[in-house]
Amino acid sequence: MARFSGKTVIVTGAARGQGAAEAALFRAEGANVVATDIFAGGGILVHDIADEVSWQRVVDNALTRFGRIDVLVNNAGVLSTKPFEATEPIEFDRVMRVNQRGTFLGMRAVMGPMREVGGGAIVITSSGAALTGTPGMFAYVASKWALRGMSKAAARDLAQYKIRVNAILPGIIDTAMAAENPPESLALFKSLIPFGRFGTPDEIAQLVAFLASDEARYITGAEFAIDGGLNA
Ligand SMILES: NC(=O)c1ccc[n+]([C@@H]2O[C@H](COP(=O)([O-])OP(=O)(O)OC[C@H]3O[C@@H](n4cnc5c(N)ncnc54)[C@H](O)[C@@H]3O)[C@@H](O)[C@H]2O)c1
């Protein structure tokens, strides 16, 4: 099936983990994929999502190579494993700069090109950690709650241009980021998951591709937990 043939998809944070799985799935389904990451790698465009000039380079690259932008997967993000009392302003700024500002800049950068082709789809990676006040990761939880708000507010404002904006809220997904948590926390999380296992990057990619596809054409401003029942 080539759901995305003729479409251009930008995936941030695509050097590894969920972003790598998302870029691979979009490619397999026919998309022209612009895969970006702060780390260089084979076929990856170097990009800091928190930097406006860097976004302009990504948009220029996509338009020069493929002539249009249809989908943005705002996947890149950073974790903080510090509780409130250990969160210094510099740590707060580091996390908000990438997770919140970076996601805002991405939506802002693709808005014009999406309007030009009559619409588009943006998928934002928030987190199941932002369904509650998950302890021990204060700045991260704050940033991922911010993404839920930005996703809904942008969905309202951009509906007139037929640009859909939805958020996914993954539970614990088996990636390098999850491995940054202390082993005892991971063991506790696993014991709380009704499915008894962590999710895989490919399972996340399947949801993202659905939300980015025409099959989801009436879905905007929505949030999807994907967590093996963890937050049910
Ligand atoms: N793994 C989990 O359990 C989990 C759960 C919920 C949400 N998430 C979210 O899913 C997304 C993907 O994370 P992952 O699990 O694949 O982790 P990951 O750490 O493997 O991948 C994140 C990628 O983002 C890139 N990145 C970081 N800062 C960047 C920047 N400024 N500009 C561009 N790229 C940057 C990293 O280099 C890395 O390749 C993140 O937003 C994360 O917060 C992860």
Side-chain angles (χ1 to χ4, degrees):
M1 181 170 61
R3 271 190 292 185
F4 295 98
S5 82
K7 302 238 166 135
T8 308
V9 179
I10 298 173
V11 181
T12 67
R16 66 182 194 191
Q18 298 173 52
E22 289 155 2
L25 181 60
F26 279 111
R27 252 184 228 113
E29 297 213 18
N32 294 316
V33 175
V34 178
T36 82
D37 203 287
I38 200 151
F39 292 124
I44 300 274
L45 194 61
V46 177
H47 173 211
D48 175 2
I49 64 164
D51 181 74
E52 230 178 315
V53 175
S54 188
W55 266 110
Q56 197 50 56
R57 279 199 294 270
V58 171
V59 166
D60 290 347
N61 179 291
L63 293 176
T64 303
R65 285 162 68 201
F66 307 122
R68 56 186 290 141
I69 297 172
D70 300 279
V71 174
L72 168 64
V73 182
N74 258 320
N75 162 76
V78 290
L79 179 65
S80 174
T81 54
K82 295 176 193 293
F84 178 83
E85 63 273 27
T87 301
E88 301 288 342
I90 194 169
E91 172 73 350
F92 186 81
D93 289 347
R94 177 185 74 86
V95 175
M96 297 305 265
R97 183 175 173 276
V98 176
N99 294 1
Q100 185 179 16
R101 177 182 159 84
T103 299
F104 161 65
L105 291 180
M107 291 196 281
R108 194 166 178 275
V110 299
M111 180 182 62
M114 284 183 177
R115 283 177 67 174
E116 269 173 36
V117 295
I122 297 172
V123 182
I124 291 180
T125 304
S126 176
S127 171
L131 280 166
T132 63
T134 306
M137 42 178 78
F138 176 76
Y140 183 76
V141 171
S143 72
K144 294 296 186 177
W145 270 94
L147 294 194
R148 293 181 60 191
M150 291 207 310
S151 171
K152 285 186 181 293
R156 292 269 188 160
D157 287 347
L158 299 179
Q160 61 187 312
Y161 310 118
K162 298 192 170 50
I163 298 173
R164 298 184 297 105
V165 187
N166 291 292
I168 63 163
L169 284 65
I172 319 291
I173 312 304
D174 198 2
T175 68
M177 182 181 285
E180 286 176 43
N181 288 288
E184 59 276 16
S185 306
L186 286 175
L188 174 65
F189 289 147
K190 197 178 226 166
S191 72
L192 296 172
I193 300 170
F195 276 2
R197 66 170 178 85
F198 297 150
T200 66
D202 185 57
E203 287 166 337
I204 301 300
Q206 296 290 344
L207 174 60
V208 169
F210 166 70
L211 290 172
S213 75
D214 287 343
E215 292 160 290
R217 61 188 168 273
Y218 198 56
I219 302 177
T220 197
E223 301 178 317
F224 296 82
I226 172 162
D227 59 8
L230 177 62
N231 293 293

